[in-house]
Amino acid sequence: MTVNNYYLFLVAAVVVAAFSQVLLKKSAGRVYPSIIREYLNIHVIAGYALMILSTLLTIIAYKKVDFKNGPVVESLGFIFVMVLSWVFFQEKITKRKLLGNFLILAGIVVFYS
C-alpha cells in the first residue's frame, strides 16, 4: 500500500469518530428510565464501538503517516461534526462556526504551504 492509502485510513478514522460523537450526543439528549439503560443502549454502545474502530484506523494510519501530519488531518473532524450536527440535529451553522472552521482550513493550508 502507498502512503496515500494510509492517509485515507486517517481520514476514515476522523469521519468514523465524527459519527461516533453524533451517536453519543443523540443518546445524551434522551431521558432513560434507569442509569443502566442510560449507558447500555444502542446509541452508546454503537458510539463507543465506532470510537474503537476510529482508534484502530488511526493506529494503522500512523504506520506510514508522519506524526506531524496526523493532527492536521484530524482537525478536519471539527468540520465533519459541524456538518453532521446540521444534518442530524438541525443545528444552525452560524457565521461564528463558519469562521472557526474557515480558520481551521486556513491553518491546514498554511501548514502544508
Side-chain angles (χ1 to χ4, degrees):
M1 275 200 285
T2 66
V3 173
N4 289 337
N5 291 341
Y6 287 91
Y7 277 99
L8 290 177
F9 278 118
L10 191 55
V11 171
V14 172
V15 171
V16 168
F19 274 102
S20 171
Q21 291 176 32
V22 167
L23 282 173
L24 292 171
K25 182 174 180 176
K26 186 170 184 128
S27 177
R30 294 185 176 175
V31 177
Y32 295 93
S34 70
I35 207 143
I36 301 239
R37 301 262 318 197
E38 189 171 334
Y39 293 100
L40 293 178
N41 64 68
I42 190 69
H43 293 110
V44 170
I45 292 168
Y48 283 118
L50 287 175
M51 276 299 201
I52 291 169
L53 176 61
S54 174
T55 301
L56 293 174
L57 289 170
T58 301
I59 290 169
I60 292 168
Y62 275 128
K63 287 182 178 182
K64 297 285 181 181
V65 172
D66 289 336
F67 288 124
K68 69 176 184 169
N69 294 332
V72 175
V73 175
E74 289 185 16
S75 67
L76 294 173
F78 292 107
I79 296 165
F80 293 137
V81 169
M82 180 186 70
V83 171
L84 290 174
S85 294
W86 173 69
V87 170
F88 290 105
F89 300 115
Q90 289 73 45
E91 289 185 4
K92 291 184 178 183
I93 297 179
T94 64
K95 289 179 185 176
R96 213 171 180 178
K97 289 179 185 178
L98 284 175
L99 176 63
N101 282 297
F102 173 77
L103 290 173
I104 290 169
L105 289 175
I108 291 170
V109 169
V110 167
F111 183 82
Y112 280 113
S113 296

